[in-house]
Amino acid sequence: MTYWTSEDNVAGKPGTALFIILPTIGCYRYRIGQACYMCSYPASAPKVKWSQEAIVDYVKEALKKIEGKKGPFAVRMFTSGSFLDNGELKPETRKKIFEILAEMDNVEEIVIESRSELVRYEAVKELAEIVPDKHFEVAIGLETANDDVADVSINKGNTFADFVKAAEITHKAGAKVKTYLLLKPIFLSEHDGIEDAKESIIKAEPYTDTFSINITDIQKGTLYERLWEKKEYRPPWLWSAVEVLIWAKRKFPNKRILSDPVGAGSKRGPHNCLTDYDRVIGKAIKKFSATQDLSYIENLKHECRDRWEYIVENGLLDWQLVTW
């Protein structure tokens, strides 16, 4: 069973999120051999296909974790693919899940994920009408607003124009848009990774209600892992994440800026100098994300920040670094 709770931002205020990984067959792009270069999630999809009824029962079981408890709660459902892909979840299955959530007064926010090309007006509208009083977001993996980076560094299979179309459909259908951005795709220096994130935020802002800055980690069996093993790629410095988050919140104070630094302080995750202070920064980022209070990340200091500043200011590439 893959579901858990964590401190998080719920519809603009501190609360708890219940994360549920639905046992679907996973992303269709992975199944045709066109997975995003950084992603191994579809490889974890069940080898035996679950029935749609079993998936609904699974959601019911997961929801027992917050049933009757004081909120506010957010329910965030991931499929290792797209919630709106009829090949993963039938329309009637999606409807049943949302009808269950509509009855839960302590759930104030619902988030689903979808690739841009699978966002359809009727599909989103049907779900939005079931939960009109809840904060309902469709999370779309833009990753970057630069189409060249999306193609060469991510293999996304989408363009920025595709994202804009999906975001406009989502808003028209009555839901909000969460935009996923990937901090430091492969082949970008630390400096260029930071600038790509900032430029993507600026371009996507008119179409976005919530930004989620996904700080790259190394997942098994991916191109990112192969480059990392050859010391041709290093996950982002945590200082880079802090830089982007502070900049984004100051520039767009009315936007929700979220980030979950998965694996912070480990070699495979975002890290600085692999000291205990890396985990302090990781926890500070999570606190900022839950509260939107910049004071958690504005005054972080450590001696290794000088090394990061030198790397960024000189535009050094990962393979040029003597130490990681």
Side-chain angles (χ1 to χ4, degrees):
M1 296 298 181
T2 310
Y3 47 82
W4 67 94
T5 57
S6 178
E7 178 185 16
D8 215 318
N9 189 280
V10 177
K13 53 185 177 289
T16 302
L18 171 64
F19 297 86
I20 308 175
I21 310 298
L22 301 182
T24 71
I25 58 176
C27 182
Y28 83 89
R29 292 265 302 174
Y30 178 84
R31 299 198 304 275
I32 63 172
Q34 290 294 329
C36 295
Y37 291 146
M38 71 288 187
C39 183
S40 69
Y41 294 136
S44 301
K47 300 299 183 280
V48 177
K49 187 175 181 180
W50 286 43
S51 70
Q52 297 292 294
E53 294 78 12
I55 291 174
V56 173
D57 289 340
Y58 177 82
V59 172
K60 290 178 180 178
E61 183 65 29
L63 290 173
K64 289 180 181 178
K65 198 169 183 68
I66 62 172
E67 190 175 22
K69 296 181 180 179
K70 185 178 179 181
F73 288 101
V75 174
R76 299 182 178 165
M77 294 175 286
F78 309 144
T79 70
S80 299
S82 296
F83 193 90
L84 298 176
D85 184 347
N86 290 344
E88 295 186 61
L89 293 171
K90 300 298 183 186
E92 55 269 25
T93 303
R94 297 194 292 262
K95 184 177 179 182
K96 287 178 182 176
I97 292 171
F98 267 65
E99 287 172 345
I100 295 168
L101 293 171
E103 298 300 317
M104 298 186 69
D105 293 336
N106 60 349
V107 173
E108 296 187 15
E109 176 180 325
I110 302 169
V111 182
I112 63 172
E113 294 181 334
S114 181
R115 287 181 57 86
S116 295
E117 71 272 21
L118 296 172
V119 175
R120 301 175 305 282
Y121 175 77
E122 290 299 333
V124 178
K125 183 172 182 288
E126 180 180 49
L127 300 179
E129 289 178 343
I130 297 172
V131 290
D133 299 323
K134 298 186 188 295
H135 182 105
F136 169 35
E137 285 186 336
V138 178
I140 302 171
L142 172 61
E143 318 303 356
T144 174
N146 184 313
D147 288 347
D148 290 334
V149 174
D151 181 28
V152 175
S153 300
I154 299 173
N155 194 39
K156 189 65 188 181
N158 287 142
T159 64
F160 181 69
D162 294 329
F163 161 78
V164 170
K165 180 181 178 181
E168 291 177 339
I169 288 172
T170 299
H171 283 140
K172 185 178 179 182
K176 299 182 185 300
V177 174
K178 173 184 280 187
T179 301
Y180 289 152
L181 293 176
L182 186 68
L183 179 58
K184 197 189 172 189
I186 52 173
F187 310 132
L188 270 64
S189 67
E190 200 75 24
H191 172 273
D192 290 347
I194 293 169
E195 292 307 307
D196 178 70
K198 291 179 178 180
E199 291 167 8
S200 296
I201 289 169
I202 290 171
K203 287 189 69 174
E205 185 272 334
Y207 313 100
T208 299
D209 300 286
T210 299
F211 281 105
S212 178
I213 309 302
N214 297 337
I215 314 171
T216 307
D217 63 332
I218 305 300
Q219 298 180 19
K220 291 187 176 180
T222 63
L223 175 60
Y224 280 51
E225 183 185 53
R226 293 200 294 276
L227 293 174
W228 172 74
E229 289 173 339
K230 295 166 67 175
K231 295 192 178 300
E232 294 178 6
Y233 178 76
R234 179 202 193 279
W237 287 67
L238 285 164
W239 294 126
S240 297
V242 170
E243 163 73 19
V244 170
L245 294 172
I246 292 174
W247 174 89
K249 192 61 182 178
R250 286 177 177 170
K251 188 167 186 65
F252 301 111
N254 294 325
K255 299 290 182 181
R256 191 165 59 151
I257 312 294
L258 307 180
S259 186
D260 183 7
V262 176
S266 68
K267 289 184 177 181
R268 282 181 171 265
H271 61 272
N272 292 335
C273 299
L274 294 173
T275 66
D276 289 342
Y277 197 69
D278 282 9
R279 289 180 170 79
V280 172
I281 297 175
K283 290 178 181 178
I285 290 174
K286 286 184 70 69
K287 274 293 187 182
F288 159 73
S289 189
T291 63
Q292 298 296 284
D293 183 350
L294 279 171
S295 68
Y296 283 105
I297 56 175
E298 282 180 317
N299 299 309
L300 296 168
K301 295 179 181 179
H302 191 271
E303 59 188 18
C304 79
R305 184 180 172 91
D306 290 344
R307 190 185 308 173
W308 168 78
E309 289 177 348
Y310 178 83
I311 290 168
V312 172
E313 288 171 3
N314 289 277
L316 296 182
L317 296 167
D318 290 341
W319 61 268
Q320 296 175 302
L321 306 180
V322 176
T323 60
W324 285 30

